[in-house]
Each structure stands twice: as C-alpha cells, then as structure tokens.
Amino acid sequence: MTDDLTRDLLLGGRVVIWQPRKGFRAGVDAVLLAAAVPARPGQSVLELGCGVGTASLCLAVRVPDLAVSGVEIQPAYADLARRNAIETGVDLTVATANIAALPPDLRNRSFDHVLANPPYYQRSQGPASKDAGRDIALAGDTPLAAWVETATRRLKSGGCLTMIQQADRLPDLLAALDGRLGAVEVLPLAPREGRPAHLVLLRAIKGRRTRFSLRAPLVLHAGPRHLSDAEDYRPEVAEVFRNVAALPGFSCDSSA
C-alpha cells in the first residue's frame, strides 16, 4: 500500500477500493446510490462523475452481466477507478472527461441507466477546499442542471436516471428536470427515526408520464442515537452494505 492511498473493502469484501488517504473519499452515499439503481443483467449503465469507481463497481457486483461505463474529470481518480475495476474483477470502462463535454464514443451511445452523485455544494456557498480533488468532488464548477441535462441526453427512451443529493438541494434537482423525464420518485434518507433526511435519492424515467411520487423515508440507523463504535444500521440497510442487497423501499422497475 502506498503512503497516500488506502485499500478499502466494501460489500463484504467483494469490492476493492483504492482511494486517496486524504481529500475526497468514497462514503456510504456511493453504495446507497448503486443499491438504488434498478438494473437488470444485460443492460448498459453510465456513471457520471464516477470518482474511484465505487458506485459503478458496487452495482456491477450486485447485478451480473452489465455493460458499465464511467466518466471522471480528474485523471488520478479515473486511474484509480480502472485499478479498482481490475482488482474487483469488473469490466468497467472509464473515460477521463468533463461530463458536459463527453468524448464522441459516449456522445454517440444511449444507456439503459445513468447514475450520478453530483457535488453537494454550490460553488457560491463557501471557500474552495485546499485539496483539489476534494473540492471538485464536493463543489466543482459544473452546475447541477448540466448533470441532469447530460444524463437525460444519454438515456434511452424508457431509461432510468438515478441520483443521490443533499436534501436541501432537492428543489434545485427537481427544477433541473424537464418534460423528457417522468415517473419521478424521491426517497428521503433519514439517519434515525424522527430525524430529518440529510440525503435524497431521485429516480426518473425518460419518456414516462407517471405522476411524481414522494416515498416514505428510509431510516438508516437503529435507535435514537449512536451508542458505541459498533455498526448500528437497521437490518434491511445492513443487507445493502454486507450482502449486496438492493435498496429497500425503492422498488421502481424501469421496464414497467
């Protein structure tokens, strides 16, 4: 292990993640995003802003026989995504590019699924991080609307967009959707019972006209507070992190 990287294991050791020791590090958000994608074997998937590949690899381990591609603007992170794919045993193709200026081979393709974990913060909301990789991952210079636009363009008719975002940016995310996307579903993710949601998952289907659905919150942790260093995820959520389960409470099927 090099001094500036760590080698982490996810999904019960099924996914290998090399990532920077300092700066932006993949968290539970990427695992939850992957678990929310209703992909089926044989389908095609594109992840925008794939970082070190965490979400794409978790999805590919859960659903076999996917054709998975990723786009990452930071060359060092893209290289780590390729390395992680090899060590995990997943065929992941990663392009080093801005999501607003995809290379021709991706611009000319359509996908069954597009997933993304766009930066959570607006550039205007605070100073840039001293770590460039962390700054791009958490804020970046690409507006949220551009993420949605690129995703929408790359989806097939009937294809599914899945995104995770901070709850306070849900209005921005919904405002970025247009008439090309429908059957919009939002799943709030609450840390504990009775606590406000910090994150939301959003799914939408290209060309669908089904009405908007706000799901009951998914509570991640058991009990009113954290009592020890031990993991305290609720059993159905622990299945996502340990046994490659799909996310409970979010059973949309893009083929319906």
Side-chain angles (χ1 to χ4, degrees), residues 169-191:
R169 296 209 67 195
L170 178 59
D172 299 326
L173 187 55
L174 292 173
L177 305 180
D178 61 28
R180 291 170 294 175
L181 295 170
V184 178
E185 297 179 275
V186 172
L187 176 67
L189 300 173

Side-chain angles (χ1 to χ4, degrees), residues 166-168 187-192 194-200 217-218:
Q166 284 211 146
D168 62 1
L187 176 67
L189 300 173
R192 297 187 185 276
R195 302 273 188 90
H198 294 166
L199 297 171
V200 293
L218 175 65

Side-chain angles (χ1 to χ4, degrees), residues 55-223:
S56 287
L57 297 179
C58 288
L59 175 59
V61 165
R62 178 170 64 85
V63 183
D65 194 29
L66 293 176
V68 187
S69 300
V71 181
E72 172 53 45
I73 194 172
Q74 301 185 78
Y77 282 73
D79 287 342
L80 286 173
R82 298 180 188 106
R83 176 180 182 178
N84 292 335
I86 292 171
E87 291 208 23
T88 301
V90 167
D91 186 8
L92 170 64
T93 302
V94 180
T96 305
N98 190 313
I99 63 106
L102 297 180
D105 60 322
L106 290 179
R107 286 203 310 270
N108 295 328
R109 294 174 60 190
S110 297
F111 296 84
D112 296 298
H113 296 272
V114 176
L115 65 150
N117 182 1
Y120 286 163
Y121 305 103
Q122 300 183 65
R123 172 61 67 207
S124 61
Q125 289 184 333
S129 170
K130 294 180 180 179
D131 181 271
R134 180 177 175 82
D135 183 65
I136 291 174
L138 292 179
D141 296 313
T142 304
L144 188 55
W147 288 77
V148 175
E149 176 63 23
T150 298
T152 304
R153 286 179 177 271
R154 298 279 58 82
L155 280 171
K156 296 178 180 179
S157 178
C160 183
L161 168 64
T162 307
M163 285 185 162
I164 191 167
Q165 186 54 244
Q166 284 211 146
D168 62 1
R169 296 209 67 195
L170 178 59
D172 299 326
L173 187 55
L174 292 173
L177 305 180
D178 61 28
R180 291 170 294 175
L181 295 170
V184 178
E185 297 179 275
V186 172
L187 176 67
L189 300 173
R192 297 187 185 276
E193 195 74 46
R195 302 273 188 90
H198 294 166
L199 297 171
V200 293
L201 280 157
L202 177 143
R203 285 204 304 229
I205 309 298
K206 189 171 182 178
R208 192 72 59 80
R209 294 292 176 262
T210 313
R211 65 185 181 180
F212 175 84
S213 174
L214 178 62
R215 299 294 188 100
L218 175 65
V219 179
L220 301 179
H221 297 275

